[in-house]
Amino acid sequence: MTAAPAERTHAWRQALPLFVLVVAWIGFLYRDTAVAMASIWWRSDTFTHGFLILPIVLWLVWRQRAVLAGLPARGSLLGLALMAGATLLWLLGDLAAVNIATQLAFVALLALAVPAVLGWTVTRAILFPLAFLFFAVPAGEALMPRLMDWTAWFTVFALRSTGIPVYQEGLQFVIPSGNWSVVEACSGIRYLIASAMVGTLFAYLSYRSMTKRLLFIAVSIVVPVAANWMRAYLIVMLGHLSGNKLAAGVDHLIYGWVFFGAVILVMFLVGARWADAPAPATASDARTDRSRALSAGRAAVSSGRLPVIAAAVAALALAVWPMLAERALDRADGDAAPRLAAPAAWDSGWQAAQLPPPAWKPSFIHPAAEIDAAYSRQGRTAGLYVGYYRHQDYDRKLVSSENVLVRSKDTRWAQVAGGGRAIELAGQPLAVRTAVLRGGAVDGAGGVRRLRVWQFYWVNGSLTASDALAKIHGALHRLRGQGDDAAVVVLSAPVDDASDPAEADRTLDAFVRDNGQALLDLLARTRAQR
């Protein structure tokens, strides 16, 4: 048996205010996360589209109002369980100060409130708007380094294919008319995200076939990447052919947007040729859609059904527990500031020294304490940087996109190679992150200073070179009440042969072999000051 229309109308009069209450409660409790998202939309051109997502979602839901009015509203145990998982993700993300985790969890909570309070039949009817809501999360910048590498590769390849000689080191390259560098703005990430968002909406509204929708979404992802490659090549060619009078400054961004806009316009014009005609509106449309949603709801997971009021109360309670847990964990953290001093000498005769100019220091923001020193023994010199973090938050944390070996706009240093290396530190196997840095401008000749760099993290005694594992270790240690003490360790040594950093690796191997245990003991003593 199904509920009569009058009964469903009465049920919605009770369910809708309760659902709005749950959403408002989530918005209030997680307001700091919401404000952080909005601030990124405001200051970043890449994510300005975030301001449009909620109005679009509300409009898409409004289009389904006739279908929703005839569906029963019932709470779901599975929906509540998924909400519990989202709150746990938010707690872990907040303990480790991971914006993407907390923001994904916040948006997931808003979306999961629908199945938790209103049920799976309602969710099925508005599944696309709920999924589209995740475009509000300012995510995707992790793709930037790979996109920059691809852009540099294609630009150099296209220039050489055109007959222009190119000298390349990493993301920097030189052609006869001048120097060029692929920076964050050249990655094309803003084009990719904007195209994927608009392309997904276009596919949903223009096609009824799932195959067509998925195909167009794939095209909207591939086209901006390829268009950005061509954009970068054309900008370099404009600069080269005009003697760097065109496309050499802010105007190259303008040219880039004009080119990208033209490409995307063509993409949508072509896509519109295969658009499906809207289904003819009939009086039975809403009944048919309601029947499909009801069938899908019955065939969905075998989740227990709850009265809406019970589901709403449970959702309100689930939303608040991470705040209470985090407050208790904050009280367990120590208040003392860490004290970290560079030793005058290490074991096996390593004495304080001075690295030759130009000076280099990793760009790690707001450590609570740090060491920046160099040590030498028997003609070998190793630099040591330790950035120690305690009481981390979103502005001061160990792992951040702003914490890098070299900033892309650094005029004195550039990273020209990267990779990894397996070493042994105090008897523990460890895969460190490696890089080669070049000091001075690219001129295609020798004589510039180079450094071999090793990097890894120490997180409350755990060692890793992975950003993700460092975050996970940090969250788990905090969850156990062990604090959030962590440090980045960066070792460096001069490279004498630009084509072979093996000698520098041997210097760093010797330093780690002689002083690895002493370094870990120093970090452990610093942690004990809590």
Side-chain angles (χ1 to χ4, degrees), residues 296-326:
R298 295 189 194 102
V301 297
S302 57
S303 56
R305 295 179 177 179
L306 293 174
V308 170
I309 189 167
V313 170
L316 294 173
L318 278 174
V320 77
W321 82 266
M323 311 298 174
L324 302 177
E326 187 172 42

PDB file of all heavy atoms in Angstrom, residues 296-326:
ATOM      1  N   ALA A 296      12.909   2.757  -7.437  1.00  0.00           N
ATOM      2  CA  ALA A 296      14.344   2.804  -7.114  1.00  0.00           C
ATOM      3  C   ALA A 296      14.549   2.796  -5.619  1.00  0.00           C
ATOM      4  O   ALA A 296      15.488   2.187  -5.108  1.00  0.00           O
ATOM      5  CB  ALA A 296      14.980   4.049  -7.729  1.00  0.00           C
ATOM      6  N   GLY A 297      13.679   3.489  -4.887  1.00  0.00           N
ATOM      7  CA  GLY A 297      13.815   3.524  -3.432  1.00  0.00           C
ATOM      8  C   GLY A 297      13.597   2.151  -2.820  1.00  0.00           C
ATOM      9  O   GLY A 297      14.300   1.749  -1.904  1.00  0.00           O
ATOM     10  N   ARG A 298      12.611   1.395  -3.352  1.00  0.00           N
ATOM     11  CA  ARG A 298      12.357   0.055  -2.810  1.00  0.00           C
ATOM     12  C   ARG A 298      13.510  -0.883  -3.152  1.00  0.00           C
ATOM     13  O   ARG A 298      13.858  -1.784  -2.391  1.00  0.00           O
ATOM     14  CB  ARG A 298      11.052  -0.496  -3.398  1.00  0.00           C
ATOM     15  CG  ARG A 298       9.810   0.287  -2.979  1.00  0.00           C
ATOM     16  CD  ARG A 298       8.550  -0.432  -3.418  1.00  0.00           C
ATOM     17  NE  ARG A 298       7.378   0.425  -3.321  1.00  0.00           N
ATOM     18  CZ  ARG A 298       6.825   1.027  -4.366  1.00  0.00           C
ATOM     19  NH1 ARG A 298       7.332   0.844  -5.579  1.00  0.00           N
ATOM     20  NH2 ARG A 298       5.767   1.802  -4.214  1.00  0.00           N
ATOM     21  N   ALA A 299      14.103  -0.680  -4.360  1.00  0.00           N
ATOM     22  CA  ALA A 299      15.196  -1.552  -4.775  1.00  0.00           C
ATOM     23  C   ALA A 299      16.540  -1.135  -4.187  1.00  0.00           C
ATOM     24  O   ALA A 299      17.523  -1.836  -4.328  1.00  0.00           O
ATOM     25  CB  ALA A 299      15.306  -1.541  -6.304  1.00  0.00           C
ATOM     26  N   ALA A 300      16.565   0.048  -3.550  1.00  0.00           N
ATOM     27  CA  ALA A 300      17.819   0.534  -2.963  1.00  0.00           C
ATOM     28  C   ALA A 300      18.179  -0.321  -1.773  1.00  0.00           C
ATOM     29  O   ALA A 300      17.494  -1.276  -1.422  1.00  0.00           O
ATOM     30  CB  ALA A 300      17.689   1.995  -2.551  1.00  0.00           C
ATOM     31  N   VAL A 301      19.268   0.059  -1.128  1.00  0.00           N
ATOM     32  CA  VAL A 301      19.797  -0.701  -0.010  1.00  0.00           C
ATOM     33  C   VAL A 301      18.711  -1.056   0.977  1.00  0.00           C
ATOM     34  O   VAL A 301      17.751  -0.332   1.159  1.00  0.00           O
ATOM     35  CB  VAL A 301      20.867   0.132   0.690  1.00  0.00           C
ATOM     36  CG1 VAL A 301      22.025   0.395  -0.218  1.00  0.00           C
ATOM     37  CG2 VAL A 301      20.291   1.427   1.187  1.00  0.00           C
ATOM     38  N   SER A 302      18.885  -2.202   1.613  1.00  0.00           N
ATOM     39  CA  SER A 302      17.901  -2.649   2.589  1.00  0.00           C
ATOM     40  C   SER A 302      18.147  -1.933   3.902  1.00  0.00           C
ATOM     41  O   SER A 302      18.587  -2.515   4.883  1.00  0.00           O
ATOM     42  CB  SER A 302      18.024  -4.160   2.785  1.00  0.00           C
ATOM     43  OG  SER A 302      19.332  -4.483   3.171  1.00  0.00           O
ATOM     44  N   SER A 303      17.923  -0.608   3.888  1.00  0.00           N
ATOM     45  CA  SER A 303      18.149   0.199   5.080  1.00  0.00           C
ATOM     46  C   SER A 303      16.870   0.276   5.880  1.00  0.00           C
ATOM     47  O   SER A 303      15.770   0.272   5.333  1.00  0.00           O
ATOM     48  CB  SER A 303      18.589   1.602   4.672  1.00  0.00           C
ATOM     49  OG  SER A 303      17.626   2.169   3.810  1.00  0.00           O
ATOM     50  N   GLY A 304      17.032   0.349   7.192  1.00  0.00           N
ATOM     51  CA  GLY A 304      15.865   0.465   8.045  1.00  0.00           C
ATOM     52  C   GLY A 304      15.194   1.801   7.869  1.00  0.00           C
ATOM     53  O   GLY A 304      15.849   2.808   7.630  1.00  0.00           O
ATOM     54  N   ARG A 305      13.882   1.837   7.980  1.00  0.00           N
ATOM     55  CA  ARG A 305      13.141   3.081   7.855  1.00  0.00           C
ATOM     56  C   ARG A 305      12.839   3.623   9.243  1.00  0.00           C
ATOM     57  O   ARG A 305      12.532   2.871  10.164  1.00  0.00           O
ATOM     58  CB  ARG A 305      11.848   2.867   7.075  1.00  0.00           C
ATOM     59  CG  ARG A 305      12.086   2.462   5.627  1.00  0.00           C
ATOM     60  CD  ARG A 305      10.772   2.245   4.916  1.00  0.00           C
ATOM     61  NE  ARG A 305      10.949   1.913   3.506  1.00  0.00           N
ATOM     62  CZ  ARG A 305       9.952   1.657   2.671  1.00  0.00           C
ATOM     63  NH1 ARG A 305       8.712   1.682   3.099  1.00  0.00           N
ATOM     64  NH2 ARG A 305      10.210   1.374   1.418  1.00  0.00           N
ATOM     65  N   LEU A 306      12.921   4.937   9.366  1.00  0.00           N
ATOM     66  CA  LEU A 306      12.673   5.601  10.637  1.00  0.00           C
ATOM     67  C   LEU A 306      11.634   6.682  10.455  1.00  0.00           C
ATOM     68  O   LEU A 306      11.536   7.275   9.375  1.00  0.00           O
ATOM     69  CB  LEU A 306      13.957   6.260  11.162  1.00  0.00           C
ATOM     70  CG  LEU A 306      15.116   5.352  11.580  1.00  0.00           C
ATOM     71  CD1 LEU A 306      16.318   6.227  11.914  1.00  0.00           C
ATOM     72  CD2 LEU A 306      14.723   4.524  12.780  1.00  0.00           C
ATOM     73  N   PRO A 307      10.870   6.995  11.481  1.00  0.00           N
ATOM     74  CA  PRO A 307      10.038   8.191  11.417  1.00  0.00           C
ATOM     75  C   PRO A 307      10.929   9.410  11.208  1.00  0.00           C
ATOM     76  O   PRO A 307      12.048   9.473  11.725  1.00  0.00           O
ATOM     77  CB  PRO A 307       9.353   8.222  12.786  1.00  0.00           C
ATOM     78  CG  PRO A 307       9.434   6.823  13.295  1.00  0.00           C
ATOM     79  CD  PRO A 307      10.690   6.247  12.735  1.00  0.00           C
ATOM     80  N   VAL A 308      10.449  10.376  10.471  1.00  0.00           N
ATOM     81  CA  VAL A 308      11.270  11.538  10.139  1.00  0.00           C
ATOM     82  C   VAL A 308      11.748  12.253  11.390  1.00  0.00           C
ATOM     83  O   VAL A 308      12.901  12.688  11.474  1.00  0.00           O
ATOM     84  CB  VAL A 308      10.468  12.496   9.234  1.00  0.00           C
ATOM     85  CG1 VAL A 308      11.209  13.823   9.078  1.00  0.00           C
ATOM     86  CG2 VAL A 308      10.244  11.868   7.869  1.00  0.00           C
ATOM     87  N   ILE A 309      10.900  12.376  12.392  1.00  0.00           N
ATOM     88  CA  ILE A 309      11.297  13.109  13.594  1.00  0.00           C
ATOM     89  C   ILE A 309      12.440  12.401  14.322  1.00  0.00           C
ATOM     90  O   ILE A 309      13.375  13.037  14.817  1.00  0.00           O
ATOM     91  CB  ILE A 309      10.090  13.338  14.534  1.00  0.00           C
ATOM     92  CG1 ILE A 309      10.496  14.302  15.655  1.00  0.00           C
ATOM     93  CG2 ILE A 309       9.561  12.025  15.102  1.00  0.00           C
ATOM     94  CD1 ILE A 309       9.304  14.823  16.439  1.00  0.00           C
ATOM     95  N   ALA A 310      12.396  11.050  14.365  1.00  0.00           N
ATOM     96  CA  ALA A 310      13.481  10.303  14.997  1.00  0.00           C
ATOM     97  C   ALA A 310      14.772  10.447  14.198  1.00  0.00           C
ATOM     98  O   ALA A 310      15.861  10.609  14.769  1.00  0.00           O
ATOM     99  CB  ALA A 310      13.097   8.834  15.122  1.00  0.00           C
ATOM    100  N   ALA A 311      14.669  10.402  12.869  1.00  0.00           N
ATOM    101  CA  ALA A 311      15.853  10.559  12.022  1.00  0.00           C
ATOM    102  C   ALA A 311      16.449  11.957  12.179  1.00  0.00           C
ATOM    103  O   ALA A 311      17.670  12.124  12.226  1.00  0.00           O
ATOM    104  CB  ALA A 311      15.486  10.299  10.569  1.00  0.00           C
ATOM    105  N   ALA A 312      15.605  12.976  12.280  1.00  0.00           N
ATOM    106  CA  ALA A 312      16.093  14.344  12.428  1.00  0.00           C
ATOM    107  C   ALA A 312      16.820  14.528  13.752  1.00  0.00           C
ATOM    108  O   ALA A 312      17.883  15.151  13.808  1.00  0.00           O
ATOM    109  CB  ALA A 312      14.940  15.329  12.310  1.00  0.00           C
ATOM    110  N   VAL A 313      16.258  13.977  14.826  1.00  0.00           N
ATOM    111  CA  VAL A 313      16.912  14.083  16.140  1.00  0.00           C
ATOM    112  C   VAL A 313      18.267  13.379  16.110  1.00  0.00           C
ATOM    113  O   VAL A 313      19.270  13.894  16.628  1.00  0.00           O
ATOM    114  CB  VAL A 313      16.005  13.494  17.242  1.00  0.00           C
ATOM    115  CG1 VAL A 313      16.765  13.376  18.561  1.00  0.00           C
ATOM    116  CG2 VAL A 313      14.761  14.368  17.418  1.00  0.00           C
ATOM    117  N   ALA A 314      18.324  12.206  15.500  1.00  0.00           N
ATOM    118  CA  ALA A 314      19.586  11.478  15.398  1.00  0.00           C
ATOM    119  C   ALA A 314      20.602  12.259  14.570  1.00  0.00           C
ATOM    120  O   ALA A 314      21.795  12.312  14.908  1.00  0.00           O
ATOM    121  CB  ALA A 314      19.347  10.102  14.787  1.00  0.00           C
ATOM    122  N   ALA A 315      20.156  12.889  13.485  1.00  0.00           N
ATOM    123  CA  ALA A 315      21.060  13.673  12.641  1.00  0.00           C
ATOM    124  C   ALA A 315      21.597  14.886  13.399  1.00  0.00           C
ATOM    125  O   ALA A 315      22.786  15.237  13.276  1.00  0.00           O
ATOM    126  CB  ALA A 315      20.342  14.122  11.373  1.00  0.00           C
ATOM    127  N   LEU A 316      20.752  15.526  14.189  1.00  0.00           N
ATOM    128  CA  LEU A 316      21.202  16.674  14.995  1.00  0.00           C
ATOM    129  C   LEU A 316      22.278  16.249  15.982  1.00  0.00           C
ATOM    130  O   LEU A 316      23.278  16.951  16.186  1.00  0.00           O
ATOM    131  CB  LEU A 316      20.017  17.291  15.735  1.00  0.00           C
ATOM    132  CG  LEU A 316      18.933  17.956  14.868  1.00  0.00           C
ATOM    133  CD1 LEU A 316      17.743  18.360  15.730  1.00  0.00           C
ATOM    134  CD2 LEU A 316      19.496  19.173  14.144  1.00  0.00           C
ATOM    135  N   ALA A 317      22.096  15.077  16.611  1.00  0.00           N
ATOM    136  CA  ALA A 317      23.075  14.594  17.583  1.00  0.00           C
ATOM    137  C   ALA A 317      24.377  14.186  16.890  1.00  0.00           C
ATOM    138  O   ALA A 317      25.474  14.464  17.392  1.00  0.00           O
ATOM    139  CB  ALA A 317      22.495  13.410  18.359  1.00  0.00           C
ATOM    140  N   LEU A 318      24.278  13.527  15.733  1.00  0.00           N
ATOM    141  CA  LEU A 318      25.480  13.108  15.019  1.00  0.00           C
ATOM    142  C   LEU A 318      26.330  14.308  14.612  1.00  0.00           C
ATOM    143  O   LEU A 318      27.563  14.250  14.638  1.00  0.00           O
ATOM    144  CB  LEU A 318      25.093  12.324  13.759  1.00  0.00           C
ATOM    145  CG  LEU A 318      24.748  10.848  13.941  1.00  0.00           C
ATOM    146  CD1 LEU A 318      24.238  10.275  12.624  1.00  0.00           C
ATOM    147  CD2 LEU A 318      25.968  10.073  14.417  1.00  0.00           C
ATOM    148  N   ALA A 319      25.681  15.399  14.233  1.00  0.00           N
ATOM    149  CA  ALA A 319      26.423  16.557  13.730  1.00  0.00           C
ATOM    150  C   ALA A 319      27.270  17.218  14.812  1.00  0.00           C
ATOM    151  O   ALA A 319      28.302  17.823  14.504  1.00  0.00           O
ATOM    152  CB  ALA A 319      25.458  17.576  13.131  1.00  0.00           C
ATOM    153  N   VAL A 320      26.897  17.083  16.075  1.00  0.00           N
ATOM    154  CA  VAL A 320      27.574  17.841  17.124  1.00  0.00           C
ATOM    155  C   VAL A 320      28.709  17.082  17.793  1.00  0.00           C
ATOM    156  O   VAL A 320      29.603  17.688  18.396  1.00  0.00           O
ATOM    157  CB  VAL A 320      26.552  18.306  18.186  1.00  0.00           C
ATOM    158  CG1 VAL A 320      26.158  17.166  19.108  1.00  0.00           C
ATOM    159  CG2 VAL A 320      27.082  19.489  18.983  1.00  0.00           C
ATOM    160  N   TRP A 321      28.755  15.757  17.687  1.00  0.00           N
ATOM    161  CA  TRP A 321      29.737  15.013  18.476  1.00  0.00           C
ATOM    162  C   TRP A 321      31.186  15.333  18.107  1.00  0.00           C
ATOM    163  O   TRP A 321      32.054  15.351  19.000  1.00  0.00           O
ATOM    164  CB  TRP A 321      29.474  13.503  18.403  1.00  0.00           C
ATOM    165  CG  TRP A 321      30.009  12.814  17.178  1.00  0.00           C
ATOM    166  CD1 TRP A 321      29.350  12.567  16.028  1.00  0.00           C
ATOM    167  CD2 TRP A 321      31.329  12.288  16.997  1.00  0.00           C
ATOM    168  NE1 TRP A 321      30.151  11.928  15.125  1.00  0.00           N
ATOM    169  CE2 TRP A 321      31.382  11.735  15.697  1.00  0.00           C
ATOM    170  CE3 TRP A 321      32.468  12.217  17.799  1.00  0.00           C
ATOM    171  CZ2 TRP A 321      32.524  11.140  15.178  1.00  0.00           C
ATOM    172  CZ3 TRP A 321      33.618  11.622  17.280  1.00  0.00           C
ATOM    173  CH2 TRP A 321      33.641  11.094  15.992  1.00  0.00           C
ATOM    174  N   PRO A 322      31.535  15.616  16.815  1.00  0.00           N
ATOM    175  CA  PRO A 322      32.941  15.935  16.537  1.00  0.00           C
ATOM    176  C   PRO A 322      33.423  17.184  17.270  1.00  0.00           C
ATOM    177  O   PRO A 322      34.586  17.274  17.665  1.00  0.00           O
ATOM    178  CB  PRO A 322      32.972  16.139  15.016  1.00  0.00           C
ATOM    179  CG  PRO A 322      31.783  15.408  14.511  1.00  0.00           C
ATOM    180  CD  PRO A 322      30.751  15.562  15.578  1.00  0.00           C
ATOM    181  N   MET A 323      32.522  18.158  17.456  1.00  0.00           N
ATOM    182  CA  MET A 323      32.906  19.379  18.169  1.00  0.00           C
ATOM    183  C   MET A 323      33.252  19.066  19.621  1.00  0.00           C
ATOM    184  O   MET A 323      34.239  19.578  20.167  1.00  0.00           O
ATOM    185  CB  MET A 323      31.761  20.396  18.116  1.00  0.00           C
ATOM    186  CG  MET A 323      31.190  20.625  16.739  1.00  0.00           C
ATOM    187  SD  MET A 323      32.432  21.284  15.598  1.00  0.00           S
ATOM    188  CE  MET A 323      31.548  21.273  14.060  1.00  0.00           C
ATOM    189  N   LEU A 324      32.450  18.216  20.242  1.00  0.00           N
ATOM    190  CA  LEU A 324      32.697  17.850  21.641  1.00  0.00           C
ATOM    191  C   LEU A 324      33.988  17.053  21.763  1.00  0.00           C
ATOM    192  O   LEU A 324      34.785  17.267  22.690  1.00  0.00           O
ATOM    193  CB  LEU A 324      31.511  17.053  22.180  1.00  0.00           C
ATOM    194  CG  LEU A 324      30.143  17.751  22.116  1.00  0.00           C
ATOM    195  CD1 LEU A 324      29.048  16.823  22.617  1.00  0.00           C
ATOM    196  CD2 LEU A 324      30.160  19.050  22.906  1.00  0.00           C
ATOM    197  N   ALA A 325      34.209  16.130  20.815  1.00  0.00           N
ATOM    198  CA  ALA A 325      35.431  15.320  20.860  1.00  0.00           C
ATOM    199  C   ALA A 325      36.668  16.187  20.664  1.00  0.00           C
ATOM    200  O   ALA A 325      37.680  16.027  21.373  1.00  0.00           O
ATOM    201  CB  ALA A 325      35.372  14.242  19.780  1.00  0.00           C
ATOM    202  N   GLU A 326      36.619  17.129  19.739  1.00  0.00           N
ATOM    203  CA  GLU A 326      37.783  17.972  19.494  1.00  0.00           C
ATOM    204  C   GLU A 326      38.076  18.876  20.689  1.00  0.00           C
ATOM    205  O   GLU A 326      39.241  19.118  21.024  1.00  0.00           O
ATOM    206  CB  GLU A 326      37.567  18.816  18.234  1.00  0.00           C
ATOM    207  CG  GLU A 326      38.806  19.581  17.825  1.00  0.00           C
ATOM    208  CD  GLU A 326      38.645  20.251  16.486  1.00  0.00           C
ATOM    209  OE1 GLU A 326      37.571  20.806  16.231  1.00  0.00           O
ATOM    210  OE2 GLU A 326      39.598  20.225  15.691  1.00  0.00           O
TER     211      GLU A 326
END
